[in-house]
Amino acid sequence: MSNSISQNILHQTLLRRSVFDNQSKFNASGTHKSTLFQAALTNQVPGQHWKSPISTKFLGNGLNVKKPRMATGTGCRSFPVNTRAVLATDPASELAAKFKLDENIELQVDVSAPTSGSIRRVNILVTNIGGSLLLHWGAIRDRKDTWALPSHCPDGTQVYKNRALRTPFLNSGSNSTLTIEVDDPAIEAIEFLLLDEARNKWYKNNDKNFHVKLPVKEKFISDVSVPEELVQIQAYLRWERKGKQTYTPQQEQEEYEAARAELLQELTRGATLQDLRARLTKENDGTETMELSTPKDMTIPDELAQIQAYLRWEKAGKPNFSPEQQLREFEEAKKELLSELNKGASIDEIRKKITKGEIKTKVAKQLQDKKYFRVDKIQRKTRDLVQLVNQYKSQPIEETYTAKPKALTEFEKFAKIKEEQDGDDVINKIIYKLGDKDLLVLVTKTSSKTKVYLATDLQQPITLHWGLSRTNAGEWLTPPPDVLPPGSVSLSQAAETQFIFNDDGSTLKVQYLEILIEEDGFLGMSFVLQSSGNWIKNKGSDFYVAFAIQPKKVRKVTEGGKGTAKSLLDNIAELESEAEKSFMHRFNIAADLVDQAKDAGELGLAGILVWMRFMATRQLIWNKNYNVKPREISKAQDRLTDLLENIYANHPQYREILRMIMSTVGRGGEGDVGQRIRDEILVIQRNNDCKGGMMEEWHQKLHNNTSPDDVVICQALIDYINSDFDIGVYWKTLNENGITKERLLSYDRAIHSEPNFRGDQKDGLLRDLGNYMRTLKAVHSGADLESAIQNCFGYRSEGQGFMVGVQINPISGLPSELPGLLQFVLEHIEIKNVEPLLEGLLEARQELRPLLLKPRDRLRDLLFLDIALDSAVRTAVERGYEELNTAGPEKIMYFITLVLENLALSSDDNEDLIYCLKGWDLALNLTRSKNDHWALYAKSVLDRTRLALANKGEEYHRILQPSAEYLGSLLGVDQWAVDIFTEEIIRSGSASSLSSLLNRLDPVLRTTANLGSWQIISPVEAVGYVVVVDELLAVQNKSYEKPTILVANRVKGEEEIPDGTVAVLTPDMPDVLSHVSVRARNGKVCFATCFDSSILSDLQVKEGKLIRLKPTSADIVYSEVKEDEVQDASSIHENDAAPSPVTLVRKHFSGKYAIVSEEFTSDLVGAKSRNISYLKGKVPSWVGIPTSVALPFGVFEEVLSDESNKAVAEKVHDLKIKLGSGESSALKEIRKTVLQLAAPPQLVLELKSKMKSSGMPWPGDEGEKRWEQAWMAIKKVWASKWNERAYFSTRKVKLDHDYLCMAVLVQEIINADYAFVIHTTNPSSGDSSEIYAEVVKGLGETLVGAYPGRALSFICKKNDLDTPKVLGYPSKPIGLFIRRSIIFRSDSNGEDLEGYAGAGLYDSVPMDEEEKVVLDYTTDPLIVDDNFRKSILSSIARAGNAIEELYGSPQDIEGVIRDGEVYVVQTRPQM
């Protein structure tokens, strides 16, 4: 069911709660919030069973009246009160109570109230007892049943099993005495038992604990709490006196607190709260305070007064009454009925008048109309968000199997033969699954005739009930007489024809029909099958076959179930014919498969989710020729969700997917809730005199097989009645939730009729259907908030016809704040301003979270409550979009934090989401403090949040989509439902809402930060034809014949730009200094990121058209041009486009396996090594240069030719021949083969000697394994000569790949705090007067490699190196960190050639694997400390400027920051 229907149902049930529904409201302590309720508890007789007073309750803005004088009654309560003997205390005096323990033994307890101090004393005297007597005791704090152990105890006290205290009595003759002093003001009571150790005898209070309530010291006036409704009235009166000004929120709060201060001042002068209430009520209402009394000689039944109070509340507009107003309304309603009684009407006559609405009622003007001030927000707790981090990552368990072509079934063979025999053109061929049987429909066509052939292997006689369609698909028209096969019967708008059994002696026995249609005017044929009085349909709908060639539905290749738990999905497919009998069958089969799914890991559970989701979206049959009792469905649900709960508790890595399964399945019943579905529809029919028509048909359907459709039907009836019986509203609700007239007719017990009620049935039906909705949702809805709350906090119903005899006990050990939060949520579920509601929902989820992290009793009910709260957040956010239309950025950002928090609370691996949330909190603080960089920083957090959502979507797609495609193909699910499966899963969660909010905020931030709609990386004017591609990587090796402008949805940063490309435009955000960015600038290709989705969509619509791009400093202007302008435009860069002749010089082995930096020459090493050697001693002393050695050119070739590597050399030779013939797959094989090289002993000796003499650590000193790691890293550098990107890049510029030689630069890794890349001439603008640099946290691989997100970027004028200007804050979620280690850098003779930038094409490999760390920028001084940032960025700029001056030309520099010091690891000419 969609979120919308769930929420609509919820809203209606909140507004339409019956006056007979006695579930009590609750406050933060878990008791009823009415003071009258608490008085009833306090004054009850010890030992007497308490029943709640009759209550009238309207959740939402509702009426809640308690009759004060009623000690007993028929009712129920949400929270049970423990019945126990209470030693009543009066804080004004010494208190005493006596108990007879045995024949001569008495217990006396005195409690001394505090006077000047805070200590309370409990004096316990036991008379006529000898021996050793112990007090076994504990304290009650925060109204919890578990004992607290006070730290201040009498002498001799010992702790017993960490659960109780034991204190010995003092003996005085035959008596024993003990005094306990309580100095903790939070302790409300003590409980105890007596133990006579000598006789091993326990003394109890009627088998229960003795319970002693402790008095509370009278509070000073400063501690007096003025009721909020009085403060509200006083604030309103102040507002009136001041001319009803428009206040800011801050002024509102100030006025509100000023009103409170005025009332407190009155109290200090001697006024009582009653005085204040009388004055304010009279002053505000203009009416006299009502007497809360009734004539003693006349009585009105309470239930009638409740109904009348409800009608008054409705007529008043359903205001939000205070408890006092509720009580007044109840008494006023009773007065109106007494007035009728005084006029001579009997109670029965009054009852009838109420039903017909004939009692005159005068509703006073409500304070609600005047309400200006309202304390309507909860106070959220301050939490350390890092404590919310989950890092549960499931490891996929892939099945090993060989995909084999699926063998044709006998029926499929028959269908194939029939198709071949017919010989005519096949227009349509469909095989429908009919349980374990099949139905073939084959439509062929000659020049003038259409032939429809139907065949089935069903063995019982089959009748075809059919009609033809002329104007639209699905139409039913009576076939013309010349079309009817022999023996057919013509009916109104249809015909019936009997199938004929074949008698050709074939092994497969089928029955078939042929229909020949000579007229061309028909579009297709509608039909159903009939057998033994039962209708056979297509998943509940009519079959339809078209007579025109249909676009073929091409199913996505699932590669035989690759990426799925295939054996599980095959089992599901085999059992589907059994599962479609009923929900009971389906849930029981799912329960049987749960262990197999768990053993298959996340893909197994994904299979269960996909199956259940196909069911929930009605892609699978719900009920087929099988009657099942609702309680049996409920029991099966119960069994399945119980098993899922167990996995949830013990396998935290699967919790996210288990939540989705449980929300799809529904809760199931406890206390025989399922059976109530059958019973209570009868109550509705009996109470409201509606035993025929639609209600009887629905009754039969419910008895036969209830389903989630019944929740929608019930809601449709409620909407229909509320609309004053507008039948259009009934159909609107049904259709919006996927229930059509055809679906109603498809049930085994079809619903043919429309509802038709009388006006006098309205109130009763609304009351009873509202109650019935609760029963339906208790079984079918996994995300219904109200029923989820009730299941956790308990309820019991008796004698009202709904949920009779059902008792759910409250869950123990819930946080004390949770009841009040959930009450707040229910009361605000429909408010227009959704912000307080969202805060309440999230605070409730936060309170609930610790209970969901470990196994516990009733975990399932807590899970369903959390799922319901999650769903309510999503619905509230969607309702709040209108509120944001005119909101400023701060409000939108706050909403983003709320939705992001909700998403994080529902995610297994949420570390990145939590750090995004911390980022938004920092952005909000910057906004409120008017920081100049708030928008720029917020934009970086927005970009990171988008990346996190994209990663989550990709993960969902990886886990779910293959299973959806494979299982969908097995079960014949509609292709459109398969295609959008993962998309719909994402859309139904918080990620979709979050994405919408980000889209709202993005343009605001770009405008505020002056970012524009574009970031131009390579500003080149271009003319070309628009080609739209999903990712640049997929086309990087392509050559376009015409000048092409690529609009690529994804660009990672390491791709090549295809030949013929004149521009690349993308919404992705590769770093300005990434490989593809450098390639674009070198190749004079326009390259830019577009932040505006509308601009990007417009460009995509222009696919195939010729356009001109004109970059400016911050924008790109584009326009369509004519064909003859192509030649002119292409000539602009004609000289640029012609590749300059680039050649490689073959290098030879010099006889040395390793050399130190002083030996670096162009014959031995590449420019990378030579440049780093040149810098030593020439740069300023504060710039560090790492020590280096190298394996020079020719070493690889020498190692390959070594006798020990003969087999490897031969294999490489053969693979290079394959590569030369065009088999690019050989590249991967060459790389794998190179890794098999053995190290000649001389190489090891020389490298060890050079590294040690240079002061570098030798890996082998830490053991042979460490050397093997180093050797593998060296081989990976050599092997990168054959990576795809590098190989095709050299071919593009016609370099001889065999001449490419690879030296290896060896450096000790500096464990960097930050890494940077500098271009000493701004690459985007070409401005040589300013330096451009990018900085990342950790190692530089995240900057130069294809890691998602942006680095911190800044520019700095060379004449003002102390004033760096930040252009963008970082959004990279991952940082790389490493232990002290060695890195082996590629240094080929193909890098930094004139006219060819080979830098970055080959790999640099550290000896140790880097650790990926999810980054928290809110604790990074580079982000939060302005002075630190300025110092670091200025140092980077100074180093770049110094190196440029040293070389006398623009430089591309890489380096790191460690402990504030700058280190440069390489430099090359800027290309």
Side-chain angles (χ1 to χ4, degrees), residues 251 718 1088 1152 1187 1254:
Q251 288 172 318
I718 291 172
K1152 295 181 179 180
T1187 302
S1254 300

Side-chain angles (χ1 to χ4, degrees), residues 804-1096:
V804 177
V806 174
Q807 179 170 350
I808 304 294
N809 293 321
I811 298 174
S812 61
L814 296 179
S816 59
E817 295 88 350
L818 190 58
L821 287 169
L822 295 175
Q823 182 65 33
F824 178 90
V825 164
L826 289 177
E827 290 177 347
H828 293 77
I829 200 72
E830 284 193 311
I831 60 171
K832 187 174 182 182
N833 172 19
V834 299
E835 185 179 310
L837 171 62
L838 289 171
E839 292 172 334
L841 288 164
L842 287 165
E843 192 65 19
R845 290 200 70 191
Q846 291 278 17
E847 289 292 321
L848 200 56
R849 179 178 177 272
L851 305 180
L852 304 176
L853 300 180
K854 54 188 176 182
R856 58 158 294 136
D857 181 47
R858 306 264 309 268
L859 175 61
R860 175 178 49 181
D861 286 332
L862 295 174
L863 263 174
F864 276 114
L865 174 57
D866 192 55
I867 289 168
L869 291 167
D870 180 10
S871 176
V873 170
R874 297 195 303 268
T875 308
V877 170
E878 289 164 6
R879 201 169 76 246
Y881 284 157
E882 184 179 350
E883 180 183 337
L884 297 178
N885 287 340
T886 56
E890 185 179 336
K891 177 95 168 180
I892 301 173
M893 287 162 68
Y894 184 57
F895 264 63
I896 286 172
T897 66
L898 296 174
V899 181
L900 185 54
E901 180 183 354
N902 193 58
L903 181 62
L905 287 170
S906 301
S907 299
D908 290 341
D909 183 15
N910 67 1
E911 190 174 14
D912 192 18
L913 297 174
I914 291 296
Y915 293 145
C916 287
L917 181 55
K918 291 189 70 180
W920 283 113
D921 284 345
L922 177 57
L924 276 168
N925 289 334
L926 293 174
T927 306
R928 291 163 183 158
S929 63
K930 304 294 190 285
N931 186 288
D932 292 340
H933 284 201
W934 76 264
L936 201 59
Y937 175 72
K939 180 66 170 72
S940 72
V941 184
L942 184 146
D943 292 341
R944 178 175 181 176
T945 309
R946 275 186 170 152
L947 279 174
L949 291 181
N951 291 338
K952 196 165 189 65
E954 289 169 7
E955 186 70 358
Y956 274 13
H957 196 277
R958 178 189 68 80
I959 296 169
L960 299 177
Q961 195 61 29
S963 293
E965 290 169 6
Y966 184 66
L967 187 60
S969 67
L970 295 178
L971 300 182
V973 171
D974 290 340
Q975 186 62 40
W976 64 266
V978 171
D979 292 343
I980 66 170
F981 184 86
T982 303
E983 180 185 338
E984 285 300 305
I985 289 281
I986 295 169
R987 191 175 293 163
S988 65
S990 291
S992 178
S993 303
L994 182 55
S995 180
S996 297
L997 292 171
L998 296 177
N999 290 340
R1000 284 173 179 257
L1001 183 62
D1002 195 359
V1004 178
L1005 296 182
R1006 284 190 280 107
T1007 300
T1008 307
N1010 298 313
L1011 295 176
S1013 300
W1014 296 87
Q1015 179 176 19
I1016 300 163
I1017 298 168
S1018 175
V1020 178
E1021 186 175 336
V1023 175
Y1025 294 91
V1026 176
V1027 173
V1028 179
V1029 297
D1030 186 46
E1031 55 181 5
L1032 183 60
L1033 186 65
V1035 296
Q1036 66 173 348
N1037 298 323
K1038 190 171 181 176
S1039 291
Y1040 291 99
E1041 295 180 359
K1042 297 190 293 185
T1044 298
I1045 295 174
L1046 285 177
V1047 180
N1049 289 328
R1050 281 180 289 177
V1051 176
K1052 291 183 177 181
E1054 60 180 0
E1055 302 90 339
E1056 291 295 320
I1057 294 176
D1059 288 342
T1061 302
V1062 296
V1064 178
L1065 309 177
T1066 179
D1068 231 335
M1069 295 172 289
D1071 290 308
V1072 172
L1073 303 183
S1074 65
H1075 175 82
V1076 71
S1077 301
V1078 173
R1079 279 281 179 272
R1081 289 191 290 268
N1082 291 344
K1084 302 297 186 291
V1085 173
C1086 179
F1087 186 30
T1089 293
C1090 179
F1091 298 117
D1092 192 322
S1093 59
S1094 60
I1095 293 176
L1096 202 68

Side-chain angles (χ1 to χ4, degrees), residues 16 45 114 176 183 193 226 304 418 438 484 514 571 577 700 808 881 889 924 941 995 1099 1159 1201 1215 1242 1248 1260-1261:
R16 292 291 182 182
V45 179
S176 296
D183 61 357
L193 301 171
V226 181
L304 293 185
K418 184 64 186 174
D438 298 282
L484 295 175
E514 284 190 1
N571 283 349
S577 59
Q700 292 301 323
I808 304 294
Y881 284 157
L924 276 168
V941 184
S995 180
L1099 285 165
E1159 301 175 86
S1201 66
L1215 288 169
Q1242 186 62 28
K1248 177 180 179 180
D1261 288 345

